[in-house]
């Protein structure tokens, strides 16, 4: 399986994280929550009592780490991309927030041993794919002679399209065996 045979565009791309939904929900939530907490802190500091000082410290100690975590989560999360080509070759990439992608595995649809689907919030699903004998393309092309597992969180519609591709491939494969 050579990389030169993949000159055409992929027919299906699955990407994780499903950043569109996270950005639509996460960004405004972080901003509105920050404004509310700052407003509460301003009014508590104006009271200037021992109880309000303790509440201010508790809010800062709880809210500040959460805010830092949510902001860094959206900035530094690594993503995963799965591309399916017309000749039934699948490529598994990881990429950083800066857009640098690294091809890890390359395999055929027939190499998929097991596929599990778990529902996630925001109309997403987590696909866990177990692949037999994938080709590791990270540093140099090398066939791995064991079962590897990869996971990707993607939109439910894209996962359904991927499942349809696998079912179509399996039905074509069974038709060819019968003939």
């Amino acid at each position: 399986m050579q990389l030169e045979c993949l000159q055409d565009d992929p027919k299906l791309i699955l990407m994780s994280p499903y950043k569109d939904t996270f950005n639509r929900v996460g960004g405004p939530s972080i901003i509105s929550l920050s404004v509310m907490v700052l407003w509460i802190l301003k009014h508590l500091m104006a009271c200037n009592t021992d109880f309000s000082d303790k509440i201010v410290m508790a809010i800062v100690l709880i809210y500040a780490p959460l805010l830092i975590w949510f902001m860094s989560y959206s900035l530094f999360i690594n993503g995963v991309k799965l591309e399916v080509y017309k000749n039934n070759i699948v490529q598994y990439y990881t990429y950083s927030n800066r857009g640098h992608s690294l091809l890890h595995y390359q395999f055929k649809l027939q190499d998929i041993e097991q596929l599990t689907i778990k529902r996630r919030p925001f109309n997403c699903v987590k696909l866990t794919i177990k692949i037999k004998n994938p080709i590791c393309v990270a540093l140099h092309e090398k066939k791995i002679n064991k079962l590897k597992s990869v996971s990707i969180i993607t939109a439910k519609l894209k996962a359904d399209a991927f499942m349809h591709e696998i079912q179509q491939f399996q039905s074509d494969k069974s038709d060819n065996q019968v003939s």
Side-chain angles (χ1 to χ4, degrees):
M1 200 175 343
Q2 296 293 325
L3 293 177
E4 291 83 30
C5 66
L6 300 173
Q7 297 295 329
D8 53 344
D9 291 330
K11 63 180 176 180
L12 180 64
I13 298 175
L14 303 175
M15 294 186 76
S16 166
Y18 194 51
K19 287 188 175 186
D20 184 39
T21 303
F22 182 77
N23 289 341
R24 232 180 317 140
V25 173
S29 298
I30 290 172
I31 292 170
S32 62
L33 193 60
S34 297
V35 168
M36 287 189 307
V37 167
L38 288 174
W39 181 75
I40 291 169
L41 288 175
K42 179 182 173 185
H43 285 301
L44 283 174
M45 291 176 77
C47 292
N48 204 11
T49 63
D50 287 339
F51 180 71
S52 67
D53 290 342
K54 289 178 184 177
I55 295 295
V56 166
M57 288 191 328
I59 288 174
V60 169
L61 289 174
I62 293 170
Y63 179 70
L66 285 175
L67 178 65
I68 291 169
W69 185 83
F70 278 115
M71 288 173 51
S72 63
Y73 177 79
S74 64
L75 293 176
F76 298 109
I77 189 167
N78 286 333
V80 176
K81 181 168 64 170
L82 197 73
E83 294 179 345
V84 180
Y85 289 89
K86 291 179 182 152
N87 52 0
N88 295 326
I89 293 177
V90 182
Q91 291 186 337
Y92 178 80
Y93 292 90
T94 59
Y95 60 94
S96 66
N97 63 336
R98 295 185 178 100
H100 304 293
S101 63
L102 177 65
L103 175 62
H104 284 282
Y105 300 116
Q106 184 178 24
F107 55 94
K108 294 184 178 181
L109 283 177
Q110 65 207 30
D111 293 337
I112 295 176
E113 284 286 317
Q114 182 182 8
L115 180 73
T116 58
I117 300 173
K118 292 184 182 176
R119 296 186 58 121
R120 296 287 184 226
F122 303 117
N123 202 21
C124 296
V125 293
K126 180 181 181 182
L127 296 173
T128 304
I129 305 169
K130 291 190 179 180
I131 312 156
K132 67 175 180 183
N133 306 328
I135 296 175
C136 181
V137 198
L139 297 174
H140 60 281
E141 212 169 293
K142 179 183 176 187
K143 188 162 187 160
I144 301 173
N145 293 324
K146 60 181 178 178
L147 200 65
K148 286 302 234 182
S149 180
V150 295
S151 297
I152 184 168
I153 298 173
T154 189
K156 186 173 182 342
L157 293 174
K158 292 276 189 172
D160 291 341
F162 183 67
M163 290 297 296
H164 179 71
E165 284 294 322
I166 291 176
Q167 290 171 350
Q168 184 179 12
F169 174 74
Q170 288 175 347
S171 67
D172 291 345
K173 185 177 152 183
S174 65
D175 290 342
N176 289 340
Q177 289 177 353
V178 170
S179 310

